[in-house]
Amino acid sequence: MTDPATLDSLAARAESEIARAVSPEALDALRVTFLGRKSDLQAALKGISALPAGDRKDAGARLNLIKQRIEAAVGSRGAALAAGVGGPGADVTFPGRAVRSGTRHPLPATIEDICGIFGRMGFERAEGPEVETEYNNFDALNTPADHPARDMQDTFYVRPGLLLRTQTSAIWARVMARRDPPLRIVCPGRTFRRDAADSTHSPVFHQVEGLWIDEACSFSDLRGVLTAFFAEFFGREMKVRFEPRYFPFTEPSTEVSIECTSCGGKGCPACARSGWLEVLGAGMVHPNILAKAGRGYAKPGVRGFAFGMGPERLAMLKHRITDMRWLYDNDLRALGQVRG
Ligand code: DAH
């Protein structure tokens, strides 16, 4: 066992196996095999005492060299494994770990999508705070304290006069206070209402508001802008319907519907058999608001239109999501099925 050729082949075998150890555990097992108490090497070391006295010294020196070679191999493979380096023993045919690619959440993706489409039509982005003055959220929008429309937008008051905004229309007043027309803004943001959560409501939701004020802005411009928007958003021409509605800050006001995205207008359970889906409110900026803002807004001929939409609703229609809570649960198994 102590002859040089046998020892050399033992060391070579040990080195080759050690270099291919795939994990620290496998390496430790090899260390035990080649250096441990029951190893050939230990047996040979123990056998030295049985050798003729004259041979013991040389045999001991040879065995020690082999031991050092194996220890060095264990050390260098251990370092390589710790550094994550495959080393000469790496199995390049081993299947790799799949890389999971992330994707944007469908809700912010939809908001970006909407703002991008209006951005290409020349709308600038404007934002405002979530904690808003009662004035900007209601009074400036032609909705005084005794107005019945306030009931439909009950919200959370931080203190008297300060609330969590119920609509991103609240941003109008902020922008109008510091800029004269022409104005063309799109205002995304989070909004709040005292609503119980169900498949179509949430006390915290989002809106994207649009406002265009300029000389000779007309209702047909509003129709053109929204019709172009829906075609862009859904990737095809959509039938768009404008029905009269009431909003305090626009006159005339309209509720805008699109052809049902499930049945294409034939009538199905998703559209209550009407063929239409109501998707946003819009209208011509109320003259009271222009007069109150003064400056360039009060000039003869200056008019504006506005619209407000819920990106949750649009995301649900686009991705065929039937429960709004799905957008807030952040279950990756579900979200992974939607490419934003
Ligand atoms: N702010 C309204 C709401 O939250 C939506 C809306 C309706 C916005 C009509 C508008 C508009 O700009 O003209 O219900």
Side-chain angles (χ1 to χ4, degrees), residues 80-325:
L81 285 173
V85 179
D91 180 357
V92 295
T93 66
F94 200 71
R97 265 189 221 133
V99 177
R100 286 172 56 124
S101 65
T103 169
R104 289 193 304 172
H105 188 286
L107 185 52
T110 301
I111 294 172
E112 287 316 310
D113 209 15
I114 296 169
C115 292
I117 295 170
F118 287 112
R120 292 192 286 283
M121 293 191 220
F123 286 76
E124 285 170 63
R125 204 170 163 128
E127 296 191 26
E130 292 172 4
V131 176
E132 185 52 280
T133 61
E134 187 176 354
Y135 181 85
N136 285 341
N137 195 80
F138 288 126
D139 301 82
L141 290 165
N142 209 29
T143 318
D146 59 358
H147 199 291
R150 284 209 185 188
D151 271 357
M152 284 141 60
Q153 299 199 2
D154 195 11
T155 184
F156 307 92
Y157 282 74
V158 176
R159 58 176 160 78
L162 209 58
L163 45 72
L164 297 186
R165 68 179 173 200
T166 61
Q167 47 190 349
T168 45
S169 319
I171 297 170
W172 291 18
R174 295 186 166 267
V175 180
M176 288 169 72
R178 36 168 220 268
R179 283 173 52 181
D180 259 353
L183 202 70
R184 204 186 315 175
I185 54 172
V186 65
C187 317
R190 195 176 291 163
T191 44
F192 308 83
R193 288 191 198 174
R194 231 200 61 174
D195 278 336
D198 63 22
S199 63
T200 54
H201 293 86
S202 162
V204 182
F205 59 107
H206 296 76
Q207 283 190 342
V208 180
E209 176 83 12
L211 176 66
W212 186 338
I213 302 180
D214 202 348
E215 279 178 35
C217 245
S218 70
F219 196 90
S220 43
D221 294 322
L222 168 63
R223 291 189 56 167
V225 163
L226 290 179
T227 306
F229 164 74
F230 288 119
E232 275 285 296
F233 183 80
F234 288 102
R236 63 187 171 87
E237 294 294 320
M238 301 288 283
K239 277 192 230 131
V240 184
R241 185 178 73 173
F242 297 79
E243 282 184 291
R245 268 296 184 298
Y246 174 79
F247 293 104
F249 35 88
T250 41
E251 181 59 37
S253 303
T254 173
E255 177 92 48
V256 182
S257 303
I258 52 172
E259 66 188 63
C260 177
T261 48
S262 294
C263 65
K266 288 195 277 296
C268 70
C271 55
R273 314 230 164 258
S274 71
W276 296 99
L277 299 166
E278 291 176 358
V279 283
L280 60 86
M284 301 304 295
V285 175
H286 199 291
N288 286 357
I289 293 176
L290 297 175
K292 205 166 172 185
R295 307 193 320 270
Y297 294 97
K299 279 204 197 128
V302 168
R303 293 196 290 169
F305 63 76
F307 50 86
M309 63 185 80
E312 278 88 347
R313 173 115 165 106
L314 289 174
M316 288 166 73
L317 291 176
K318 190 166 194 170
H319 300 297
R320 301 185 180 281
I321 299 165
T322 49
D323 192 322
M324 187 161 153
R325 287 165 289 198

